[in-house]
Amino acid sequence: MPATANATAGATENLPVVVIGAGPIGLAAAAHLVGQGIEPLVLEAGPQAGAAVRAWSHVRLFSTWGEVVDPAAEKLLAPTGWTRPDPAAYPSGGDWAERYLQPLADALGDTIRTGARVTGVSRAGRDRIVDADRGTQPFTVHITCADGREERLLARAVIDASGTWSTPSPAGADGLPALGEKATADRISYQVPDLKDPSVRARYAGRRTAVIGSGASAFTALATLADVAEGAPGTHAVWILRRGISGSTFGGGASDQLPARGALGLAAKAAVDDGHADAVTGFRTETIERDSEGRLILVAEDGRRLDAVDEVIVLTGFRPDLSFLSELRLNLDERLEAPVDLAPLIDPNQHSCGTVYPHGHNELSHPEQGIYLVGMKSYGRAPTFLAMTGYEQVRSVAAALAGDPEAADRVELTLPETGVCGGAGLFDTPEAEQGESTGGCCATPATPSLIQLGVGAPATSGGC
């Protein structure tokens, strides 16, 4: 049974470690804690384990099964008769949830509570400014249950693996919602649409859609919209890039050591080459307006206006929700909102997924001892995260909580080398555009630059 706030303050040894989020990293954290003889309590806001992954169940991962199954989790699953999927195959989000996350959650049993949204974490009887006996107090975790009830639990430590899925970045290039973005939300999506769903497909078929973003999610959206266009004339995408077209725009292609990701970039390029999408470069969205027919017009910071579109898909990355951690003493990088010791290792302006140095409890520590942000949450706004990295994080954190510094400090991960993992902020500077772009940002402030790439297409579209 989880400890409540009636427990004796300071008696923390018998309290569970609260893990926030029953996604891939949260469940792996619980498996590692169990392996260390530590009781976990996993709090999941959704109705079932892997709720966020299930939200993009139609999207295929660019990592293989062999790269997305945690070793400690596999050990926990073995006695249940679980059969590991083909390590060389690529699962979809739905596959990952149904064939791995749910069985793992079942194996963890009552240590997982679903429908439990964490609304605050602090020290028992101590707000952020109080020093006295702070380190000896247990953590207090406030939750709101699915039925509206509120509870307050105690924990010896807290591992926040809540991810970033619930807080997508907006269309506005300044990091704030574009003017009019909230008012036009009925025509805006912040995830790759499931175009195999007839009702969703009808929303985009035969229509003009703006796709804002430059990463794998944008590639997926462009490729799937191109597939719709093959059977639904009039379906067209306008790909909006804050930077110019460069050699890295479509990822690493055949040289990417994550082959599925390379193939995804090539599929997006084919969508553009085949005329199913046009690219608008150097376009930083400031305003989204609705015309007299209800269609949307995007306006850039420099005054350029695009022709009206029917739908907008915003895929500009994600950011961490730090609101429920406001009473804790965290040490976060001012740019990435990642732990300060981790930030230099994951900075997307310097690193790709494969060049992130394996790391653990030391890089994830904060002035508030016993709180760890792990998984995508630990990466803040950086898009360089891989599941393997998160598994190594929680292995190290669990060892540290078990009092095994040798195991906690040991590195047990080798990542694939690849230099093609970029995000919304990567190369997003005037200097980078001038040095790397082969497509100009604009012809004149009033005329957006549309580029149709392919055989016979011009190498440039005019200088800035």
Side-chain angles (χ1 to χ4, degrees):
M1 294 292 292
T4 68
N6 293 323
T8 303
T12 63
E13 288 187 4
N14 295 323
L15 295 175
V17 172
V18 163
V19 179
I20 306 175
I25 308 306
L27 293 176
H32 281 278
L33 290 169
V34 169
Q36 293 285 357
I38 300 174
E39 178 190 359
L41 173 60
V42 183
L43 302 175
E44 167 59 46
Q48 58 190 140
V53 174
R54 295 174 194 274
W56 48 270
S57 61
H58 57 290
V59 177
R60 190 163 300 281
L61 281 72
F62 50 67
S63 296
T64 65
W65 272 114
E67 297 164 333
V68 298
V69 172
D70 175 76
E74 185 172 7
K75 183 177 180 180
L76 191 65
L77 283 166
T80 70
W82 178 75
T83 301
R84 182 179 184 178
D86 178 2
Y90 293 90
S92 66
D95 296 333
W96 204 14
E98 292 299 329
R99 301 178 63 186
Y100 170 63
L101 299 181
Q102 190 57 56
L104 179 55
D106 293 341
L108 288 165
D110 292 340
T111 63
I112 298 177
R113 287 186 59 180
T114 58
R117 181 175 298 278
V118 174
T119 58
V121 181
S122 187
R123 289 282 188 178
R126 307 291 188 274
D127 65 20
R128 184 169 178 158
I129 66 173
V130 177
D131 290 334
D133 298 322
R134 186 178 190 87
T136 64
Q137 302 305 307
F139 288 93
T140 178
V141 181
H142 287 218
I143 65 172
T144 299
C145 303
D147 60 6
R149 291 181 299 107
E150 294 181 323
E151 293 185 31
R152 182 168 173 257
L153 309 175
L154 295 181
R156 60 179 284 193
V158 175
I159 299 175
D160 183 357
S162 60
T164 58
W165 176 255
S166 64
T167 48
S169 296
D174 52 13
L176 302 173
L179 300 178
E181 185 170 347
K182 294 179 181 179
T184 55
D186 60 312
R187 294 291 185 93
I188 301 176
S189 173
Y190 295 88
Q191 63 186 69
V192 178
D194 182 2
L195 295 176
K196 293 183 179 179
D197 182 326
S199 63
V200 176
R201 193 180 186 92
R203 177 174 174 176
Y204 298 94
R207 298 188 175 186
R208 182 176 165 90
T209 299
V211 177
I212 305 176
S214 60
S217 294
F219 293 168
T220 302
L222 291 169
T224 53
L225 285 169
D227 180 66
V228 172
E230 294 289 348
T235 305
H236 195 78
V238 180
W239 186 20
I240 297 175
L241 292 156
R242 294 172 182 169
R243 55 184 176 88
I245 299 292
S246 74
S248 64
T249 295
F250 295 99
S255 65
D256 194 330
Q257 290 196 23
L258 291 176
R261 184 174 58 197
L264 186 59
L266 294 176
K269 185 176 187 302
V272 179
D273 289 348
D274 294 343
H276 298 309
D278 296 317
V280 182
T281 61
F283 193 97
R284 294 174 169 82
T285 306
E286 180 181 74
T287 304
I288 301 178
E289 301 175 353
R290 200 187 297 267
D291 68 11
S292 59
E293 297 179 355
R295 304 178 80 200
L296 305 185
I297 298 173
L298 276 62
V299 184
E301 292 177 345
D302 59 11
R304 290 182 292 157
R305 301 169 66 88
L306 293 182
D307 291 339
V309 297
D310 299 288
E311 301 285 342
V312 176
I313 302 174
V314 180
L315 302 168
T316 53
F318 296 86
R319 55 188 58 179
D321 176 8
L322 300 168
S323 61
F324 59 86
L325 304 176
S326 61
E327 290 304 314
L328 297 178
R329 299 175 178 181
L330 304 181
N331 195 8
L332 300 175
D333 179 75
E334 62 184 12
R335 295 180 304 119
L336 297 181
E337 296 180 295
V340 290
D341 290 336
L342 175 61
L345 306 180
I346 63 174
D347 186 344
N349 292 293
Q350 304 293 330
H351 292 282
S352 72
C353 297
T355 63
V356 171
Y357 184 79
H359 53 275
H361 73 109
N362 287 318
E363 293 84 357
L364 298 171
S365 296
H366 294 277
E368 192 82 67
Q369 295 184 9
I371 174 72
Y372 297 95
L373 278 60
V374 300
M376 272 299 306
K377 185 71 171 274
S378 72
Y379 275 46
R381 301 193 182 199
T384 45
F385 177 74
L386 289 174
M388 291 183 291
T389 309
Y391 296 156
E392 174 68 2
Q393 287 180 339
V394 296
R395 182 205 62 77
S396 171
V397 167
L401 291 173
D404 186 349
E406 181 181 354
D409 292 341
R410 188 167 58 239
V411 175
E412 296 184 6
L413 173 66
T414 301
L415 288 169
E417 291 185 16
T418 177
V420 298
C421 187
L426 191 59
F427 309 127
D428 193 17
T429 62
E431 292 80 9
E433 285 176 3
Q434 292 168 9
E436 297 184 38
S437 174
T438 58
C441 67
C442 55
T444 66
T447 306
S449 174
L450 285 171
I451 307 172
Q452 184 170 333
L453 300 179
V455 177
T460 62
S461 59
C464 291

